[in-house]
Amino acid sequence: MGTRKKVHAFVRVKPTDDFAHEMIKYGDDNKSIDIHIKKDLQKGFVNNKQTDWSFKLDGVLHNASQDLVYETVAKDVVAQALDGYNGTIMCYGQTGAGKTYTMTGTTENYKHRGILPRALQQGETNRIIASHTMNKNSSRSHCIFTIYVEAHSRTLSDEKYITSKINLVDLAGSERLKKSGSEGRVLKEATYINKSLSFLEQAIIALGDQKRDHIPFRQCKLTHALKDSLGGNCNMVLLTNIYGEASQLEETLSSLRFASRMKLVTTEPAINEKYDAERMVKNLEKELALLKQELAIHDSLANRTLVNYDPMDEIQIAEINSQVRRYLEGTLDEIDIINLRQIQEVFNQFRVVLSQQEQEVELTLRRKYTLIDKNDFAAISAVQKAGLMDVDGHLVGEPDGQGFGLGVTPFSAKPGKKAKSKKMFKEQLSTSARKEGASSPVGGKDLDFSTSKTQLTPSSKEGDVKDMLMRDRETSSTEPLPLDSPKEELRPPRPSTPPPKPVAFEDFKNERGSEINRIFKENKSILNERRKRASETTQRINAIKREMDMTKEALNFQKSLREKQGEYENKGLMIIDEEEFLLILKLKDLKKQYRTEYQDLRDLKAEIQYCQHLVDQCRHRLLMEFDIWYNESFFIPEDIQVSLKPGSSIRPGMVPISRIVSLGEDDQDKFSQLQQTELPEGPDSISFYNAKVKTEQKHNYLKTMMGFQQAHRK
Ligand code: ADP
Ligand code: MG
């Protein structure tokens, strides 16, 4: 497949007593014919001065028997057809040159039978299913015999089978219509008597030309019928029948020209393979049954009994869903791996649970809060205009600053409000800390970035978790740390180029970030200690479990002994010996230990989860504070910093650098936000300042900064 093959061209010369020896010569290898025309004969019969022609062919059959012709021309093509390759054999030549004799042969003598009966015979011995169509033959019409081959493998299990066809074409006579001019003038034009042959010739010229991509197959019935046999993907043989007599030399020449044109055509034989679907299903079913048996043997050898590999039903899927939920809650330690199908289903259920929880979170948020799309500026400004919300996204009049998470980095919360909410958090923390006992991690008490709930227990409701997340976002974005303001003045002179972040981070951890860093590290060590304890507990549990198994086994052994020796009963009570009794006691004791340790482990896991949460928060806070500090120290222009000096409720670090710089860009919205941030408390003043802001919106950067300072002085 994939390799191009040339069309094979043979010439068969009709036997005659009058063979033109001087004009027709065969090459030594029997693969070429040379034609020579004597000078005196040339006049009046060919229109050019050429007197010699040489035609290269794949073989010249002179005085060849039908047998030899079949062997040379057809045998391979038929054999390949039985392997799935289409084949075409064409006989071309003037009427009477022996096309029909070659293709069909004579009926009188068995020896003289032609290619067609022999091809059928060859197929027959290979037990192909063959059929052919016969056309009435005349020298004016073409005759195409098609043998359809469908070959199935002898081994019934093979689902592959091949189909192919062999076209045996006995063309109409190729003789030309002579249009000779006046006496002495040479032949001008010669066309085929049968028009379709000229279409065939055009198609063949196109096929022989590598640059042509359109082949005119549709011009006549003949080329149309031979479309997939000419060129294409089949083995192709042209047999040109010629006379060997001098009087027929003109037609002989044109036939040989046709043959040499045909030799230029290449084909790309390809196998026609098909699949027997029914057989294939049967084979796959067999294979499947075999593999299932194989799997069962493997399982029993590996002591894995009763593993079911069938597709899961709804109940099994629901069970996996529940396992996944319990695993996520922390009430299930691990999900045992059973087989591939089950693993896939576990992953699948993770996705199901995740998407359900996402929906639930959103639903809970929507119940509690009015959510506005961060990108929906129209809605945001409408709410702001209505005075329902301040720039921080807080709903006006909300008691503890709970409100919209709009993703707008706020400059600051109002001082009064801030103190209040901070105090509230601390209160909540200390109460819950008391409730949870002494070994609570540090963060909760020392830092206000902790959550309102100190402990996340596995049984806590989803609602609680979300509530916490919500508050968490608030506190971490609006509550500054109490550690920073006194150090503000002591900042060393600013270097010309900022140090690389990793270096600066080390400085930060030792200086301004030292307190958070300390808490972060402390929490981390608590977390590690809890993890270690959990791992030890797990090991103990496993040891107990092993001991329990051993005891159970011993007990079963005792039981079986007792059963063999005969049982004793006394007033309906079983009599057992001391050894068995001790084993029962031991097992009971182990079970108790197991339960206690297991409970411990559960508690530890809950604690770990909580600690992890705190550690994550600390890390987040540390990085966030570092970024603020880094920006303050190295990027925010000094003059802006002057205007944001202590006493102000603005923390410059809270202002992203992009925001400060964009003040100069006549960014009206940001300007008005700056203005509003500086408002004294009292919702009534908002509309007043809104009006004021509008008049000032066109001010340039300097004026903006002046307005900024004025507002600051108020
Ligand atoms: P075509 O089909 O090309 O018009 P035919 O096959 O009908 O020519 O041949 C014309 C006559 O010549 C027939 O009687 C045929 O038996 C005879 N003939 C052609 N080729 C041979 C050959 N190679 N040996 C013997 N007889 C032949
Ligand atoms: Mg014929």
Side-chain angles (χ1 to χ4, degrees), residues 555 558-563 565-570 573-585:
L555 203 56
Q558 286 292 330
K559 225 173 173 175
S560 70
L561 268 187
R562 165 160 56 83
E563 275 160 11
Q565 289 160 358
E567 296 182 346
Y568 301 96
E569 253 186 71
N570 186 14
L573 293 172
M574 194 71 70
I575 308 282
I576 52 173
D577 65 16
E578 195 179 334
E579 204 165 336
E580 193 175 343
F581 180 66
L582 285 175
L583 282 171
I584 290 172
L585 283 186

Side-chain angles (χ1 to χ4, degrees), residues 95-96 98-101 137-139 170-171:
T95 300
K99 298 183 296 296
T100 306
Y101 180 80
N137 198 8
S138 92
S139 66
D170 182 353
L171 289 168

Side-chain angles (χ1 to χ4, degrees), residues 12-15 64 66 93-103 105-106 112 137 139 170-171 173 241 243:
R12 185 180 196 181
V13 188
K14 188 180 172 184
Q66 293 284 64
Q94 68 184 112
T95 300
K99 298 183 296 296
T100 306
Y101 180 80
T102 303
M103 201 51 93
T106 58
H112 295 162
N137 198 8
S139 66
D170 182 353
L171 289 168
N241 294 89
Y243 280 93

Side-chain angles (χ1 to χ4, degrees), residues 584-598:
I584 290 172
L585 283 186
K586 188 179 173 191
L587 191 61
K588 214 174 142 188
D589 190 43
L590 282 168
K591 276 184 183 164
K592 204 172 134 195
Q593 276 181 47
Y594 183 84
R595 273 197 294 273
T596 326
E597 294 280 5
Y598 193 77

Side-chain angles (χ1 to χ4, degrees), residues 522-536:
E522 226 165 299
N523 278 348
K524 232 164 56 179
S525 80
I526 291 171
L527 175 64
N528 284 338
E529 189 269 337
R530 294 289 192 281
R531 279 201 180 130
K532 202 172 144 228
R533 262 167 57 188
S535 137
E536 285 163 3

Side-chain angles (χ1 to χ4, degrees), residues 1 77 80-87 164-165 233 235 269-272:
M1 246 161 75
V77 176
Q80 288 233 22
L82 298 175
D83 286 338
Y85 297 93
N86 289 345
S164 61
K165 57 182 180 180
N233 70 343
N235 288 306
I271 203 160
N272 302 301

